[in-house]
Amino acid sequence: MPAATKLIPIVKIPDPILRQIAKPVDEITDGVRQLLDDMAATMYDAPGIGLAAPQINVSQRLVVIDCGKDDAPELYKMVNPEIIALSEEQSVLEEGCLSIPDQTAEVKRPAEVSIRYLDETGTTQTLTAGGLLAACIQHEIDHLNGVLFIDHISRLKRDMITRRVMKELRQTTAS
Ligand code: NI
């Protein structure tokens, strides 16, 4: 019987793990599968549409994504995802991040992305996506490389968002 999933606390900026390059996963063990399940449960609980392992303080190349509708979930569990192609065409979407609470900004990225990854059985999968899923995939793979959505916006906006989150964190800690 599979173990029950558990919710894991989400790391917030400025935690340094969010700026590290995560390590590739060598072997997909039961422990890795459990971690992916726990990440999915944590993502749904937040709620969010994507979560990368560094956000739960694990510096490994694991991502979960679900950009489906509430009544039609579409969960991807990805091990060692890699971008293999990006479109020339760009698109702008509003992004947020569970590690940068309550802040959003418009981010410009390639409109379409193709990736390769291992699923939880160790089978290589390829996926080409557009729209919200394309942005989400790029956002989550960025996390594995220590990159945050605020790195894609102007310095002025980035500083503003960082200041707001720091202020919020100080107030939470003080209370
Ligand atoms: Ni994020």
Side-chain angles (χ1 to χ4, degrees):
M1 210 175 98
T5 54
K6 65 173 189 295
L7 302 180
I8 308 172
I10 296 174
V11 166
K12 312 282 173 19
I13 57 168
D15 194 301
I17 197 162
L18 294 171
R19 292 308 195 173
Q20 287 172 20
I21 310 265
K23 290 190 186 60
V25 174
D26 303 326
E27 197 190 345
I28 302 173
T29 59
D30 285 345
V32 169
R33 279 186 278 271
Q34 180 68 48
L35 201 53
L36 286 164
D37 288 343
D38 291 344
M39 285 170 64
T42 302
M43 169 184 76
Y44 288 128
D45 179 70
I49 58 172
L51 189 70
Q55 294 181 274
I56 53 150
N57 210 28
V58 173
S59 196
Q60 292 188 36
R61 303 187 82 81
L62 297 170
V63 159
V64 294
I65 289 173
D66 190 341
C67 295
K69 306 262 188 294
D70 285 347
D71 53 353
E74 216 178 342
L75 176 62
Y76 292 96
K77 298 177 197 172
M78 300 177 179
V79 178
N80 300 337
E82 282 176 85
I83 290 174
I84 51 180
L86 292 166
S87 63
E88 292 278 330
E89 192 200 337
Q90 309 262 310
S91 70
V92 176
L93 281 174
E94 182 102 356
E95 292 188 26
C97 181
L98 296 173
S99 296
I100 309 174
D102 304 322
Q103 305 299 319
T104 61
E106 292 195 326
V107 178
K108 190 179 192 180
R109 299 183 185 268
E112 202 176 271
V113 62
S114 296
I115 58 164
R116 180 170 41 221
Y117 64 95
L118 299 175
D119 67 18
E120 59 184 332
T121 71
T123 307
T124 301
Q125 303 283 351
T126 55
L127 174 66
T128 296
L132 179 61
L133 183 56
C136 190
I137 287 169
Q138 293 173 72
H139 177 121
E140 299 311 327
I141 292 179
D142 268 357
H143 272 300
L144 304 181
N145 296 321
V147 175
L148 302 171
F149 83 85
I150 50 175
D151 301 333
H152 294 283
I153 62 179
S154 72
R155 178 164 185 182
L156 191 77
K157 281 190 201 154
R158 177 163 63 247
D159 289 349
M160 200 169 70
I161 286 178
T162 309
R163 262 200 314 275
R164 281 196 206 132
V165 174
M166 296 305 123
K167 192 177 162 203
E168 187 67 29
L169 275 175
R170 272 199 306 275
Q171 284 169 350
T172 314
T173 317
S175 63

